[in-house]
Amino acid sequence: MSSVPPSVLRAGPAETGPPLILPPDPGPFAQFVRSQSFAGLLLFASAVLAFILANSPLAGGYEALRHLHLSVLVGDRGLDLSLEHWVNDGLMAVFFLLVGLEIKRELLIGELAQPRRAALAVAGALGGMVVPALLYAALNLGGPGLHGWGVPMATDIAFSLGILALLGSRVPVGLKIFLTALAIVDDLGAVAVIALFYTDTIQLPALLAAALVWGALLAMGRLGVRRLGMYAALGGLLWLFVLQSGLHATIAGVLLALAVPLRRAAPLAVSLPGGLVADADNERLGVHLQRAEAALERAQSPLHRLEHLLHPYVTYAILPLFAFVNAGVAVGGTTLGTVTLGVVAGLVLGKPLGVLGGAWLAVRAGLAALPSGVNWSLLVGAGMLAGIGFTVSLFVANLAFADAALLAGAKLGVLIGTLCSAALGVAWLLLQTRRSAT
C-alpha cells in the first residue's frame, strides 16, 4: 500500500471528487500565540499594565477611562453605563457563555462524562471552594469584610492552564486534564455562588420575561435550530431582561449556553485513499475547499461552532480588557487588612488543602481514582495552581464590595494570592518532576 501525503484529504466518499490540499501546519510562533501559555501571559500583561498605571502619575487618566460613560440608545430609551460596567456586566456575559458551553460539552461528551474522572474533579473543586471560603470567613468573622467570602473560591482557567502549559511535557497529560476539569467545575460553582449570594433585589416582571425568553431558547435547542444568529438575537434579549431583573447579567451567558444544542446535523465522511497527488488547478481546488468547508460546517454542532467562534474573542480581547479595567489597584493608602489576608490565605493555603482533601476523600471512598501518571505529590502542585483565582475572583470582589477600601483590599489580595500560587505551583511541580526523572 502506498503512503498518503499528510497534506492530502478527500472529503466525502472515496470514489467522488478530486483530492484536497490542506493548509500547512502553523509555525512555532503561530502555535504559541494560539496556546494557553500565550493566553495566560496576555492576561498577566494586561493586569500588570493596569497596576502600573494605577500607581503612576497617569492614575487620574486611568480612572477617568474606567469610568467613561458609553450609551446605547434606541429612541429615548437605552443603557448608559461606564466602561467598567460594560465590561463587567456585558462582555463578561460572553465569557460566561463560553464557560457554559465548555461545561455543557464536558458534562455530555468530555472528561466530566466519565464518572470516576468527574468524581475526582468535582470532589477536588468542592473542597477547593469550601476550604478557602471558610479560611476567609474565619479571618473576617464579625467584620465588614465578611461578605467577600466568595472571592478566594475561584480558579482562573486561562491563567492556571497557561502556567501549567509552560511546564510542557514535564507534567503528565493526566494532571492537565484534572486541572482543566477542576477549573470547569469550579466555574460552575462560581456561577451558582454569584446567582445565590451576590444578587440584588429581584424584579419579578423582568425575571418572568427572562424565563419566557430562556424557554424559547430551550425549545429552539430541542427542535434542533442551528442558526447561531437566532440564538444571538434571543440571547441579547435574555441578557437585557436578566440585567433588569436584579440577577447579575452574566448569568444570562450560562443560561444561553445550556440552550445551544450539541447534536450534529450531518456526519462528515473523510477518507484517506492511497496514491493521491495534490491538485494543481487553483480554481478547481478552491471549489473543492469550499465544499469541504461546507461539509465541516454541517458536521459541527451549533455548540461547537459557537465555542470556536467565541474563543479567540474571549481569550484575546474580553479577558485582557477585563484584567486591564479591574486590576488597577492603587496600593497607596491600601493596608493589608483582614480582607486582603483572608483572600491570600484562601487562595494560597485553602485551595491546595481543599483540592487535595476533596480528592483524597473521593479516592478513599472508592468513587474516583488518580489519573494515569499522576501521584499525590503532583496533585499538590495542581492544587497550588488552582489558587490562581484571577478573573473570577476579581469579578466576585466587584460584586461583594461597594466600599472602595474593602474592594481595593480584596483586589490586592487576589493579585498577591494569584502570584504566590503561580510561583509556588511551578516551583513545586518542577521539583517533583525533577525528582521523578532522577
Side-chain angles (χ1 to χ4, degrees), residues 357-405:
W360 183 84
L361 288 175
V363 172
R364 185 75 174 176
L367 301 174
L370 292 181
S372 176
V374 176
N375 55 35
W376 288 108
S377 294
L378 292 177
L379 212 66
V380 171
M384 291 176 175
L385 292 182
I388 300 173
F390 190 74
T391 303
V392 181
S393 290
L394 288 175
F395 186 78
V396 174
N398 282 312
L399 300 179
F401 298 118
D403 182 88

Side-chain angles (χ1 to χ4, degrees), residues 9 11 20 22 226 264-270 288-301 304-305 308:
L9 293 176
L20 304 178
L22 296 182
R226 298 177 56 81
R264 293 181 297 179
L268 176 67
V270 177
H288 298 316
L289 285 175
Q290 289 176 354
R291 291 175 180 171
E293 185 177 352
L296 288 170
E297 179 78 9
R298 291 193 302 271
Q300 282 190 312
S301 72
H304 283 99
R305 284 191 289 133
H308 294 157

Side-chain angles (χ1 to χ4, degrees), residues 48-394:
V48 169
L49 177 60
F51 187 81
I52 291 173
L53 289 175
N55 293 277
S56 74
L58 299 174
Y62 171 74
E63 286 299 317
L65 178 63
R66 289 178 64 236
H67 296 101
L68 176 67
H69 272 248
L70 303 171
S71 301
V72 175
L73 301 175
V74 178
D76 59 348
R77 303 190 65 180
L79 295 174
D80 180 39
L81 303 173
S82 68
L83 176 62
E84 181 182 14
H85 280 98
W86 276 117
V87 172
N88 292 347
D89 294 350
L91 293 182
M92 286 302 285
V94 181
F95 165 74
F96 278 100
L97 168 58
L98 181 60
V99 167
L101 294 172
E102 291 175 343
I103 291 171
K104 182 173 181 177
R105 172 172 51 78
E106 291 297 322
L107 285 171
L108 294 179
I109 61 173
E111 297 301 323
L112 299 180
Q114 302 180 36
R116 288 176 71 82
R117 283 186 179 179
L120 188 70
V122 169
L126 288 176
M129 288 186 285
V130 171
V131 175
L134 291 177
L135 269 177
Y136 178 94
L139 288 171
N140 287 273
L141 197 60
L146 182 60
H147 194 50
W149 56 267
V151 175
M153 294 177 64
T155 296
D156 188 288
I157 293 180
F159 211 158
S160 60
L161 294 181
I163 294 295
L164 190 60
L166 291 174
L167 298 173
S169 59
R170 299 184 188 90
V171 177
V173 174
L175 192 69
K176 298 176 182 178
I177 292 174
F178 169 75
L179 186 59
T180 302
L182 181 142
I184 289 172
V185 176
D186 197 292
D187 275 344
L188 182 60
V191 171
V193 167
I194 290 169
L196 295 174
F197 301 103
Y198 293 105
T199 292
D200 298 328
T201 305
I202 300 298
Q203 301 294 326
L204 289 179
L207 186 63
L208 178 59
L212 292 174
V213 174
W214 189 42
L217 283 163
L218 290 173
M220 284 170 49
R222 294 289 296 177
L223 293 172
V225 175
R226 298 177 56 81
R227 292 184 178 275
L228 293 182
M230 296 181 65
Y231 290 98
L234 285 183
L237 198 59
L238 176 66
W239 175 83
L240 183 60
F241 285 136
V242 171
L243 178 67
Q244 295 174 342
S245 73
L247 290 173
H248 199 272
T250 52
I251 302 299
V254 179
L255 295 177
L256 174 58
L258 296 178
V260 179
L262 185 58
R263 290 174 296 175
R264 293 181 297 179
L268 176 67
V270 177
S271 59
L272 291 171
L276 293 179
V277 294
D279 190 339
D281 188 334
N282 289 334
E283 184 175 348
R284 292 177 60 200
L285 177 60
V287 172
H288 298 316
L289 285 175
Q290 289 176 354
R291 291 175 180 171
E293 185 177 352
L296 288 170
E297 179 78 9
R298 291 193 302 271
Q300 282 190 312
S301 72
L303 187 146
H304 283 99
R305 284 191 289 133
L306 185 56
E307 189 176 353
H308 294 157
L309 176 67
L310 292 178
H311 193 272
Y313 295 101
V314 170
T315 301
Y316 304 122
I318 292 176
L319 289 182
L321 184 57
F322 172 84
F324 178 76
V325 169
N326 289 277
V329 181
V331 295
T334 303
T335 59
L336 296 179
T338 55
V339 169
T340 302
L341 294 176
V343 173
V344 173
L347 292 175
V348 178
L349 297 177
K351 271 294 184 180
L353 288 174
V355 169
L356 195 66
W360 183 84
L361 288 175
V363 172
R364 185 75 174 176
L367 301 174
L370 292 181
S372 176
V374 176
N375 55 35
W376 288 108
S377 294
L378 292 177
L379 212 66
V380 171
M384 291 176 175
L385 292 182
I388 300 173
F390 190 74
T391 303
V392 181
S393 290
L394 288 175

